[in-house]
Amino acid sequence: MNMNPVFFSAFFPAFACAAAVPPEPSALEAICPPSEGKAFHSGWISLGLKAADLKEKQVSAGHITDVGEAQVLLHFPAGWKPQDRRTALCIFPGGGYSIQAIEKEGSRIAGWAAEHGMVGVVVKYRVSGTSNALGKFPGPLLDARQALRTVRENASSLGIDPLRIGVMGFSAGGHLAAMTSTLWNRTLPEEAENPLKNISARPDFSMLIYPVITMAPHTTHGGTRNKILGPHPSPALEEMCSAERQVTKQTPPVFLVHALDDGVSCANSRLMEQACRNKGVPVSLNLYPTGGHGYGMEKRGHPTDQWPDAAEQWLREQGVLPSPASARGGAPSGAVPSSGTRRE
């Protein structure tokens, strides 16, 4: 795929409130599909939001911290063409807003999305285990909204349907996905000079996997709450960042996964389900008796091993993925025609 200057400038915006990062030629070259039509992925691409000159560190296999620059990495399915109109899945790894499980809850999930015909977008949002400023509201939300806007703005070049861009988040990443799904139209002063601020940041569907949802002290995850809110948050900030309190009729359809023995209380997912039902938002809560926390899509011999199949079925029920019969008929998986208009 050839990138023209218009795409160049849109994909790497510069903000008055954040340092702009120039595009890397290697990342641009990586978005050329292989001639044999196999699945492929880009390099890491800057979203133009940089808060600190931190040196990214690997804290353990597949886990990183001190992410000072927001970036995305795109996984494209086999047979992808820029003329396609595929579903995109923006993925937020978990890690308590201090680290990110970038492989287990990032690249592996994007690979799953690509296997199902979607474009998987791993969002590396800004976090730090040492800097209290990173990981605090609204920083992660700014990064998540910018990822959605960037993908939507460039959908026609990326072979993506701008009306089928969803989010999936794990643990604290699930909290970020939930905030993105409920605060998508909230005005943030930090975005006043953002050239993409008029592009919708609303996800079209939301998949929350063992998520933190509420900031209520007795139900939330303490470490996640402390990082996103700080040690002494105002009641108004706690309210804003409690996703179950921000659900409206415009919140996108929600898919939830939780194990009853999870260290992050399944009450979080129950609260989100009830809030969605109260507002008439389509919601599916998948509770499993065992599985714990942090399993991603790994098979561990627990009932939670089943959730990816449930997720695929839900995506088909929502019309995000075509039915198996439609896929057999020749339509590329994840490339069903869009219909309807965006709810703003």
Side-chain angles (χ1 to χ4, degrees):
M1 176 173 62
N2 293 323
M3 300 293 182
N4 59 37
V6 174
F7 180 84
F8 230 123
S9 60
F11 209 63
F12 298 94
F15 305 119
C17 59
V21 180
E24 293 290 340
S26 60
L28 225 23
E29 292 166 4
I31 305 183
C32 295
S35 57
E36 60 270 26
K38 295 181 179 179
F40 68 103
H41 61 80
S42 72
W44 285 105
I45 300 171
S46 173
L47 290 173
L49 297 175
K50 187 174 182 181
D53 290 321
L54 292 176
K55 184 176 181 180
E56 186 178 300
K57 301 181 184 70
Q58 180 171 310
V59 294
S60 61
H63 295 75
I64 58 174
T65 190
D66 288 351
V67 178
E69 178 183 0
Q71 299 174 300
V72 291
L73 185 149
L74 297 91
H75 284 246
F76 295 90
W80 173 89
K81 302 182 298 296
Q83 296 82 13
D84 292 342
R85 289 178 63 83
R86 295 178 180 268
T87 295
L89 184 64
C90 295
I91 301 156
F92 308 125
Y97 292 118
S98 294
I99 65 173
Q100 287 184 49
I102 200 70
E103 291 186 12
K104 179 177 60 178
E105 297 172 354
S107 58
R108 294 179 194 173
I109 308 305
W112 174 86
E115 288 172 1
H116 289 78
M118 297 180 276
V119 177
V121 183
V122 183
V123 183
K124 188 192 290 186
Y125 53 97
R126 290 168 291 176
V127 298
S128 173
T130 56
S131 171
N132 291 330
L134 289 189
K136 190 174 181 180
F137 186 87
L141 183 59
L142 297 174
D143 297 351
R145 283 158 58 127
Q146 188 66 5
L148 279 156
R149 287 173 172 146
T150 299
V151 171
R152 182 162 282 131
E153 172 73 356
N154 296 284
S156 61
S157 299
L158 295 172
I160 290 170
D161 184 345
L163 297 181
R164 288 191 294 121
I165 301 173
V167 292
M168 178 185 280
F170 298 78
S171 192
H175 179 254
L176 179 55
M179 283 202 302
T180 305
S181 301
T182 55
L183 299 178
W184 56 271
N185 60 349
R186 180 67 61 100
T187 300
L188 298 175
E190 294 84 355
E191 294 181 334
E193 302 301 322
N194 185 342
L196 298 184
K197 66 181 180 181
N198 292 325
I199 305 298
S200 174
R202 178 184 181 270
D204 296 296
F205 58 94
S206 182
M207 308 181 80
L208 313 177
I209 317 303
Y210 43 87
V212 178
I213 293 293
T214 188
M215 292 290 107
H218 298 297
T219 307
T220 190
H221 177 258
T224 299
R225 172 189 159 95
N226 189 61
K227 281 295 290 187
I228 192 71
L229 299 184
H232 305 292
S234 67
L237 182 59
E238 179 182 312
E239 174 91 8
M240 187 188 307
C241 294
S242 292
E244 83 282 6
R245 302 181 190 179
Q246 302 301 325
V247 173
T248 69
K249 293 180 179 179
Q250 286 73 43
T251 299
V254 174
F255 175 87
L256 292 151
V257 168
H258 230 112
L260 297 179
D261 64 350
D262 195 321
V264 172
S265 174
C266 63
N268 282 272
S269 286
R270 291 183 187 275
L271 284 169
M272 191 66 178
E273 180 202 27
Q274 190 58 55
C276 288
R277 294 196 183 283
N278 290 345
K279 296 295 184 179
V281 174
V283 60
S284 173
L285 173 58
N286 298 265
L287 288 176
Y288 298 96
T290 62
H293 190 78
Y295 38 83
M297 287 187 171
E298 294 176 349
K299 302 296 184 183
R300 297 184 175 183
H302 287 282
T304 46
D305 292 355
Q306 304 168 26
W307 84 260
D309 293 333
E312 179 181 350
Q313 180 180 344
W314 183 80
L315 288 169
R316 296 193 190 284
E317 291 170 353
Q318 296 299 312
V320 174
L321 293 179
S323 67
S326 298
R328 286 195 298 271
S333 179
V336 295
S338 64
S339 60
T341 57
R342 172 168 305 288
R343 294 180 296 168
E344 297 290 357

Coordinates of all heavy atoms in Angstrom, one line a residue, residues 101-185:
A101 N 0.8 -5.8 29.7 CA 1.0 -7.2 29.2 C 0.9 -7.2 27.7 O -0.1 -7.6 27.1 CB 0.0 -8.1 29.8
I102 N 1.9 -6.6 27.1 CA 1.9 -6.2 25.7 C 1.8 -7.4 24.7 O 1.3 -7.3 23.6 CB 3.1 -5.3 25.3 CG1 2.8 -4.5 24.0 CG2 4.3 -6.1 25.2 CD1 1.8 -3.4 24.2
E103 N 2.3 -8.6 25.1 CA 2.2 -9.8 24.3 C 0.9 -10.5 24.5 O 0.0 -10.7 23.7 CB 3.4 -10.6 24.5 CG 4.7 -10.1 24.0 CD 5.9 -11.0 24.1 OE1 5.6 -12.2 24.3 OE2 7.0 -10.6 23.9
K104 N 0.7 -11.0 25.8 CA -0.4 -11.9 26.1 C -1.8 -11.2 25.9 O -2.7 -11.8 25.4 CB -0.3 -12.3 27.6 CG -1.5 -13.2 28.0 CD -1.2 -13.7 29.5 CE -1.1 -12.5 30.5 NZ -0.9 -13.0 31.8
E105 N -1.8 -9.9 26.2 CA -3.1 -9.1 26.1 C -3.0 -8.1 25.0 O -3.8 -7.2 25.0 CB -3.4 -8.5 27.5 CG -3.7 -9.5 28.5 CD -3.8 -9.0 30.0 OE1 -3.6 -7.8 30.1 OE2 -4.1 -9.8 30.9
G106 N -2.0 -8.2 24.2 CA -1.8 -7.2 23.1 C -1.7 -7.9 21.7 O -2.6 -8.2 21.0
S107 N -0.4 -8.3 21.4 CA -0.1 -8.8 20.1 C -0.8 -10.2 19.8 O -1.2 -10.4 18.7 CB 1.4 -9.0 19.9 OG 2.0 -9.8 20.9
R108 N -0.9 -11.0 20.9 CA -1.6 -12.3 20.6 C -3.1 -12.1 20.4 O -3.7 -12.8 19.6 CB -1.4 -13.2 21.9 CG 0.0 -13.6 22.1 CD 0.1 -14.5 23.3 NE 1.5 -14.7 23.7 CZ 1.9 -15.3 24.8 NH1 1.0 -15.8 25.7 NH2 3.2 -15.4 25.1
I109 N -3.7 -11.1 21.0 CA -5.1 -10.8 20.7 C -5.3 -10.2 19.3 O -6.2 -10.5 18.6 CB -5.6 -9.8 21.8 CG1 -5.3 -10.3 23.2 CG2 -7.1 -9.6 21.6 CD1 -5.8 -11.7 23.5
A110 N -4.3 -9.4 18.9 CA -4.4 -8.8 17.6 C -4.3 -9.9 16.5 O -4.9 -9.9 15.5 CB -3.3 -7.8 17.4
G111 N -3.4 -10.9 16.8 CA -3.3 -12.1 15.9 C -4.6 -12.8 15.8 O -5.0 -13.2 14.7
W112 N -5.3 -13.0 16.9 CA -6.6 -13.6 16.9 C -7.6 -12.8 16.1 O -8.4 -13.4 15.3 CB -7.1 -13.7 18.4 CG -8.5 -14.3 18.5 CD1 -9.0 -15.6 18.6 CD2 -9.7 -13.5 18.7 NE1 -10.3 -15.6 18.7 CE2 -10.8 -14.4 18.8 CE3 -10.0 -12.1 18.7 CZ2 -12.1 -13.9 19.0 CZ3 -11.3 -11.6 18.9 CH2 -12.3 -12.6 19.0
A113 N -7.6 -11.5 16.2 CA -8.5 -10.6 15.5 C -8.2 -10.8 14.0 O -9.1 -11.0 13.2 CB -8.3 -9.2 15.9
A114 N -6.9 -10.9 13.6 CA -6.6 -11.0 12.2 C -7.0 -12.4 11.7 O -7.4 -12.5 10.5 CB -5.1 -10.8 12.0
E115 N -6.9 -13.4 12.5 CA -7.3 -14.8 12.1 C -8.8 -14.8 11.8 O -9.3 -15.6 11.0 CB -7.0 -15.8 13.2 CG -5.6 -16.1 13.4 CD -5.3 -16.9 14.6 OE1 -6.3 -17.3 15.3 OE2 -4.1 -17.3 14.8
H116 N -9.6 -13.8 12.4 CA -11.0 -13.8 12.2 C -11.4 -12.7 11.1 O -12.5 -12.2 11.1 CB -11.7 -13.5 13.5 CG -11.7 -14.7 14.4 ND1 -10.6 -15.1 15.1 CD2 -12.7 -15.7 14.6 CE1 -10.9 -16.2 15.8 NE2 -12.1 -16.6 15.5
G117 N -10.4 -12.2 10.4 CA -10.6 -11.3 9.3 C -10.7 -9.8 9.7 O -10.9 -9.0 8.9
M118 N -10.4 -9.5 11.0 CA -10.4 -8.1 11.4 C -9.0 -7.6 11.3 O -8.0 -8.3 11.2 CB -10.9 -8.1 12.9 CG -12.3 -8.5 13.1 SD -12.8 -8.4 14.8 CE -12.2 -9.9 15.5
V119 N -8.9 -6.2 11.4 CA -7.6 -5.6 11.6 C -7.4 -5.4 13.1 O -8.2 -4.6 13.7 CB -7.5 -4.2 10.9 CG1 -6.2 -3.5 11.1 CG2 -7.7 -4.4 9.4
G120 N -6.4 -6.0 13.7 CA -6.1 -5.9 15.1 C -5.2 -4.7 15.4 O -4.1 -4.7 14.7
V121 N -5.6 -3.8 16.3 CA -4.8 -2.6 16.5 C -4.4 -2.7 18.0 O -5.2 -2.4 18.9 CB -5.6 -1.3 16.2 CG1 -4.7 -0.1 16.5 CG2 -6.1 -1.4 14.8
V122 N -3.1 -3.0 18.3 CA -2.6 -2.9 19.6 C -2.3 -1.5 20.0 O -1.5 -0.8 19.3 CB -1.3 -3.8 19.8 CG1 -0.9 -3.8 21.3 CG2 -1.6 -5.2 19.3
V123 N -2.9 -1.0 21.1 CA -2.6 0.4 21.5 C -1.7 0.4 22.7 O -2.0 -0.2 23.8 CB -4.0 1.1 21.9 CG1 -3.7 2.5 22.3 CG2 -5.0 1.0 20.7
K124 N -0.5 0.9 22.5 CA 0.5 1.0 23.6 C 0.3 2.4 24.2 O 0.8 3.4 23.7 CB 1.9 0.9 23.0 CG 3.0 0.8 24.1 CD 4.4 0.9 23.5 CE 4.8 -0.3 22.8 NZ 6.2 -0.2 22.3
Y125 N -0.5 2.5 25.2 CA -0.8 3.8 25.9 C 0.2 4.1 26.9 O 1.0 3.2 27.4 CB -2.2 3.8 26.4 CG -2.6 2.6 27.4 CD1 -2.5 2.8 28.7 CD2 -3.0 1.4 26.8 CE1 -2.8 1.7 29.6 CE2 -3.3 0.3 27.7 CZ -3.2 0.5 29.0 OH -3.5 -0.6 29.9
R126 N 0.3 5.3 27.3 CA 1.4 5.8 28.2 C 1.2 5.4 29.7 O 0.1 5.6 30.3 CB 1.5 7.3 28.1 CG 2.1 7.8 26.8 CD 1.9 9.3 26.6 NE 0.5 9.7 26.5 CZ 0.1 10.9 26.4 NH1 1.0 11.9 26.5 NH2 -1.1 11.2 26.2
V127 N 2.1 4.6 30.2 CA 2.1 4.2 31.6 C 3.5 4.2 32.2 O 4.5 4.2 31.4 CB 1.5 2.8 31.8 CG1 0.1 2.7 31.3 CG2 2.4 1.7 31.1
S128 N 3.6 4.1 33.5 CA 4.9 4.0 34.1 C 4.8 3.5 35.5 O 3.8 3.8 36.2 CB 5.6 5.4 34.2 OG 6.8 5.3 34.9
G129 N 5.8 2.6 35.9 CA 5.8 2.1 37.3 C 6.5 3.1 38.2 O 6.5 2.9 39.4
T130 N 7.2 4.1 37.7 CA 7.9 5.0 38.5 C 7.4 6.5 38.5 O 7.5 7.2 39.5 CB 9.4 5.0 38.1 OG1 9.5 5.4 36.7 CG2 10.0 3.7 38.3
S131 N 6.9 6.9 37.4 CA 6.3 8.2 37.2 C 4.9 8.3 37.6 O 4.1 7.6 36.9 CB 6.5 8.8 35.8 OG 5.9 10.0 35.6
N132 N 4.5 9.0 38.6 CA 3.1 9.1 39.0 C 2.2 9.9 38.0 O 1.0 9.7 38.0 CB 3.0 9.8 40.4 CG 3.5 8.9 41.5 OD1 3.5 7.7 41.4 ND2 4.0 9.5 42.5
A133 N 2.9 10.7 37.2 CA 2.1 11.5 36.2 C 1.6 10.6 35.1 O 0.5 10.8 34.6 CB 3.0 12.6 35.6
L134 N 2.3 9.6 34.7 CA 1.9 8.7 33.6 C 0.9 7.6 34.2 O 1.2 7.0 35.2 CB 3.0 8.0 32.9 CG 3.9 8.9 32.0 CD1 4.9 8.1 31.2 CD2 3.1 9.8 31.1
G135 N -0.1 7.3 33.5 CA -1.1 6.4 34.0 C -2.2 7.1 34.7 O -3.2 6.4 35.1
K136 N -2.1 8.4 34.9 CA -3.1 9.1 35.7 C -4.1 9.8 34.7 O -3.7 10.2 33.6 CB -2.5 10.2 36.5 CG -3.4 10.9 37.5 CD -2.6 11.8 38.4 CE -3.6 12.5 39.5 NZ -2.9 13.4 40.4
F137 N -5.4 9.8 35.1 CA -6.4 10.4 34.3 C -6.0 11.9 34.0 O -5.6 12.6 34.9 CB -7.7 10.4 35.0 CG -8.9 10.9 34.2 CD1 -9.6 10.0 33.3 CD2 -9.3 12.2 34.2 CE1 -10.6 10.5 32.5 CE2 -10.3 12.7 33.5 CZ -11.0 11.8 32.6
P138 N -6.2 12.4 32.7 CA -6.8 11.7 31.6 C -5.9 11.0 30.6 O -6.3 10.7 29.5 CB -7.6 12.9 30.9 CG -6.6 14.0 31.1 CD -6.0 13.8 32.4
G139 N -4.6 10.9 31.0 CA -3.6 10.4 30.0 C -4.0 9.2 29.2 O -4.0 9.2 28.0
P140 N -4.3 8.1 29.9 CA -4.6 6.9 29.1 C -5.8 7.1 28.2 O -5.9 6.6 27.1 CB -4.9 5.8 30.2 CG -4.1 6.3 31.3 CD -4.2 7.8 31.3
L141 N -6.8 7.9 28.7 CA -8.0 8.1 27.9 C -7.7 8.9 26.6 O -8.2 8.7 25.6 CB -9.1 8.8 28.7 CG -10.4 9.0 28.0 CD1 -11.0 7.8 27.5 CD2 -11.4 9.8 28.9
L142 N -6.8 9.9 26.8 CA -6.3 10.7 25.6 C -5.7 9.8 24.6 O -6.0 9.9 23.4 CB -5.3 11.7 26.0 CG -5.7 12.8 27.0 CD1 -4.5 13.7 27.4 CD2 -6.8 13.7 26.4
D143 N -4.9 8.8 25.0 CA -4.3 7.9 24.1 C -5.3 7.0 23.4 O -5.2 6.7 22.2 CB -3.2 7.0 24.8 CG -2.1 7.9 25.4 OD1 -2.0 9.1 25.1 OD2 -1.3 7.3 26.1
A144 N -6.2 6.5 24.2 CA -7.3 5.6 23.6 C -8.1 6.3 22.6 O -8.4 5.8 21.5 CB -8.1 5.0 24.7
R145 N -8.6 7.5 22.9 CA -9.4 8.3 22.0 C -8.6 8.6 20.7 O -9.2 8.6 19.6 CB -9.9 9.6 22.7 CG -11.0 9.3 23.7 CD -11.2 10.3 24.7 NE -11.5 11.7 24.3 CZ -12.5 12.4 24.7 NH1 -13.4 11.9 25.5 NH2 -12.6 13.7 24.3
Q146 N -7.3 8.9 20.9 CA -6.5 9.3 19.7 C -6.4 8.1 18.8 O -6.4 8.2 17.6 CB -5.2 9.8 20.2 CG -4.3 10.4 19.0 CD -4.9 11.6 18.4 OE1 -5.9 12.1 18.9 NE2 -4.3 12.1 17.3
A147 N -6.2 6.9 19.4 CA -6.1 5.7 18.6 C -7.4 5.5 17.8 O -7.3 5.2 16.5 CB -5.8 4.5 19.5
L148 N -8.5 5.6 18.4 CA -9.8 5.4 17.7 C -9.9 6.5 16.6 O -10.4 6.1 15.4 CB -11.0 5.5 18.6 CG -11.2 4.2 19.4 CD1 -12.0 4.5 20.7 CD2 -12.1 3.2 18.5
R149 N -9.6 7.7 16.9 CA -9.8 8.8 15.9 C -8.8 8.5 14.7 O -9.2 8.8 13.5 CB -9.5 10.1 16.5 CG -10.6 10.6 17.4 CD -10.2 11.8 18.2 NE -11.4 12.4 18.9 CZ -11.2 13.1 20.1 NH1 -10.0 13.2 20.7 NH2 -12.3 13.6 20.7
T150 N -7.6 8.1 15.0 CA -6.6 7.9 14.0 C -7.0 6.8 13.0 O -7.0 6.9 11.8 CB -5.3 7.6 14.6 OG1 -4.9 8.8 15.4 CG2 -4.2 7.4 13.5
V151 N -7.5 5.7 13.6 CA -7.9 4.6 12.8 C -9.2 5.0 12.0 O -9.3 4.7 10.8 CB -8.3 3.4 13.7 CG1 -8.9 2.3 12.9 CG2 -7.0 2.8 14.3
R152 N -10.1 5.7 12.6 CA -11.3 6.1 11.8 C -11.0 7.1 10.7 O -11.5 7.0 9.6 CB -12.3 6.7 12.8 CG -13.7 7.1 12.2 CD -14.7 7.2 13.3 NE -15.2 5.9 13.7 CZ -15.4 5.5 15.0 NH1 -15.0 6.3 16.0 NH2 -15.8 4.3 15.2
E153 N -10.1 8.1 11.0 CA -9.8 9.1 10.0 C -9.1 8.4 8.8 O -9.3 8.9 7.7 CB -8.8 10.1 10.7 CG -8.2 11.1 9.7 CD -9.2 12.2 9.2 OE1 -10.4 12.1 9.6 OE2 -8.8 13.1 8.5
N154 N -8.4 7.4 9.0 CA -7.6 6.7 7.9 C -8.2 5.4 7.5 O -7.5 4.6 6.9 CB -6.2 6.6 8.4 CG -5.5 7.9 8.6 OD1 -5.1 8.6 7.7 ND2 -5.3 8.3 9.9
A155 N -9.5 5.2 7.8 CA -10.1 3.9 7.6 C -10.0 3.5 6.1 O -9.8 2.3 5.8 CB -11.6 3.9 8.1
S156 N -10.3 4.5 5.2 CA -10.3 4.1 3.8 C -9.0 3.6 3.3 O -8.9 2.9 2.3 CB -10.8 5.3 3.0 OG -9.9 6.4 3.1
S157 N -7.9 4.1 3.9 CA -6.5 3.7 3.5 C -6.1 2.4 4.1 O -5.3 1.7 3.7 CB -5.5 4.8 3.8 OG -5.8 6.0 3.1
L158 N -6.8 2.1 5.3 CA -6.4 0.9 6.0 C -7.3 -0.3 5.8 O -7.2 -1.3 6.4 CB -6.4 1.2 7.5 CG -5.4 2.2 8.0 CD1 -5.6 2.6 9.5 CD2 -4.0 1.7 7.9
G159 N -8.2 -0.2 4.8 CA -9.2 -1.2 4.5 C -10.1 -1.5 5.6 O -10.5 -2.7 5.9
I160 N -10.6 -0.5 6.4 CA -11.4 -0.6 7.6 C -12.7 0.1 7.3 O -12.8 1.2 6.7 CB -10.7 0.0 8.8 CG1 -9.5 -1.0 9.2 CG2 -11.6 0.2 10.0 CD1 -8.6 -0.4 10.2
D161 N -13.8 -0.4 7.9 CA -15.1 0.2 7.9 C -15.1 1.2 9.1 O -15.0 0.7 10.2 CB -16.2 -0.9 8.0 CG -17.6 -0.3 7.9 OD1 -17.8 0.9 8.1 OD2 -18.5 -1.1 7.8
P162 N -15.3 2.5 8.8 CA -15.3 3.4 10.0 C -16.4 3.3 10.9 O -16.4 3.8 12.0 CB -15.3 4.8 9.3 CG -15.9 4.5 7.9 CD -15.5 3.2 7.5
L163 N -17.5 2.5 10.5 CA -18.6 2.2 11.4 C -18.5 0.9 12.1 O -19.5 0.5 12.8 CB -19.9 2.2 10.6 CG -20.3 3.6 9.9 CD1 -21.6 3.4 9.1 CD2 -20.3 4.7 10.9
R164 N -17.4 0.2 12.0 CA -17.2 -1.0 12.8 C -15.7 -1.0 13.4 O -14.9 -1.9 13.0 CB -17.4 -2.2 11.8 CG -18.9 -2.4 11.5 CD -19.2 -3.7 10.8 NE -18.6 -3.8 9.5 CZ -17.7 -4.7 9.1 NH1 -17.2 -5.6 9.9 NH2 -17.2 -4.7 7.9
I165 N -15.5 -0.1 14.3 CA -14.3 0.0 15.0 C -14.6 -0.2 16.5 O -15.3 0.6 17.1 CB -13.6 1.3 14.8 CG1 -13.3 1.5 13.3 CG2 -12.3 1.4 15.6 CD1 -12.7 2.9 12.9
G166 N -14.1 -1.3 17.0 CA -14.4 -1.6 18.4 C -13.2 -1.6 19.3 O -12.1 -1.4 18.9
V167 N -13.5 -1.8 20.6 CA -12.4 -1.8 21.6 C -12.5 -3.1 22.4 O -13.6 -3.7 22.6 CB -12.4 -0.6 22.6 CG1 -12.1 0.7 21.8 CG2 -13.8 -0.5 23.3
M168 N -11.3 -3.6 22.8 CA -11.2 -4.8 23.7 C -10.1 -4.5 24.7 O -9.0 -4.1 24.4 CB -10.9 -6.1 23.0 CG -10.7 -7.3 23.9 SD -10.2 -8.8 23.1 CE -11.8 -9.3 22.3
G169 N -10.5 -4.6 26.0 CA -9.5 -4.3 27.0 C -9.5 -5.4 28.1 O -10.5 -6.0 28.4
F170 N -8.3 -5.5 28.8 CA -8.1 -6.5 29.8 C -7.7 -5.9 31.1 O -6.8 -5.1 31.2 CB -7.0 -7.5 29.3 CG -7.3 -8.2 28.1 CD1 -7.1 -7.6 26.8 CD2 -7.7 -9.6 28.1 CE1 -7.4 -8.3 25.7 CE2 -8.0 -10.2 26.9 CZ -7.8 -9.6 25.7
S171 N -8.4 -6.2 32.2 CA -8.1 -5.8 33.5 C -8.1 -4.2 33.5 O -9.2 -3.6 33.2 CB -6.8 -6.3 34.0 OG -6.5 -6.1 35.3
A172 N -7.0 -3.5 33.8 CA -7.0 -2.1 33.8 C -7.2 -1.6 32.3 O -7.8 -0.5 32.1 CB -5.7 -1.5 34.3
G173 N -6.8 -2.4 31.4 CA -7.1 -2.1 30.0 C -8.6 -2.2 29.7 O -9.1 -1.5 28.8
G174 N -9.3 -3.1 30.5 CA -10.7 -3.2 30.4 C -11.4 -1.9 30.9 O -12.4 -1.4 30.4
H175 N -10.8 -1.4 32.0 CA -11.3 -0.1 32.5 C -11.1 1.0 31.5 O -12.0 1.8 31.3 CB -10.5 0.3 33.8 CG -10.9 1.6 34.4 ND1 -10.1 2.7 34.3 CD2 -12.1 1.9 35.0 CE1 -10.8 3.7 34.9 NE2 -11.9 3.3 35.4
L176 N -9.9 1.0 30.8 CA -9.7 2.0 29.8 C -10.7 1.9 28.7 O -11.2 2.9 28.1 CB -8.3 1.9 29.3 CG -7.8 2.9 28.2 CD1 -8.1 4.3 28.6 CD2 -6.4 2.7 27.8
A177 N -10.9 0.6 28.2 CA -11.9 0.4 27.2 C -13.3 0.8 27.6 O -14.1 1.4 26.8 CB -11.9 -1.1 26.8
A178 N -13.7 0.6 28.9 CA -15.0 1.0 29.4 C -15.1 2.5 29.5 O -16.1 3.1 29.2 CB -15.2 0.4 30.8
M179 N -14.0 3.2 29.9 CA -14.0 4.7 29.9 C -14.2 5.2 28.5 O -14.9 6.2 28.2 CB -12.8 5.3 30.5 CG -12.7 5.2 32.0 SD -11.5 6.4 32.7 CE -10.0 5.9 31.9
T180 N -13.4 4.6 27.5 CA -13.5 5.0 26.1 C -14.9 4.8 25.6 O -15.4 5.7 24.8 CB -12.5 4.2 25.3 OG1 -11.2 4.3 25.9 CG2 -12.5 4.7 23.9
S181 N -15.6 3.8 26.1 CA -17.0 3.6 25.6 C -18.0 4.4 26.3 O -19.2 4.5 25.8 CB -17.3 2.1 25.9 OG -16.4 1.2 25.3
T182 N -17.7 5.0 27.4 CA -18.7 5.9 28.1 C -18.4 7.4 28.2 O -19.3 8.2 28.4 CB -18.9 5.4 29.6 OG1 -17.6 5.3 30.2 CG2 -19.4 4.0 29.6
L183 N -17.1 7.7 28.0 CA -16.7 9.1 28.0 C -16.2 9.6 26.6 O -15.5 10.6 26.5 CB -15.5 9.3 29.0 CG -15.8 9.0 30.4 CD1 -14.5 9.2 31.3 CD2 -16.9 9.8 31.0
W184 N -16.7 8.9 25.6 CA -16.2 9.2 24.2 C -16.6 10.6 23.7 O -15.9 11.2 22.9 CB -16.8 8.1 23.2 CG -18.2 8.0 23.2 CD1 -19.0 7.2 24.0 CD2 -19.2 8.8 22.4 NE1 -20.3 7.4 23.7 CE2 -20.5 8.4 22.7 CE3 -19.0 9.7 21.4 CZ2 -21.6 8.9 22.1 CZ3 -20.1 10.3 20.8 CH2 -21.4 9.8 21.2
N185 N -17.6 11.1 24.3 CA -18.0 12.5 23.9 C -17.8 13.6 25.0 O -18.2 14.7 24.9 CB -19.5 12.5 23.5 CG -20.4 12.1 24.6 OD1 -20.0 11.6 25.6 ND2 -21.7 12.3 24.4

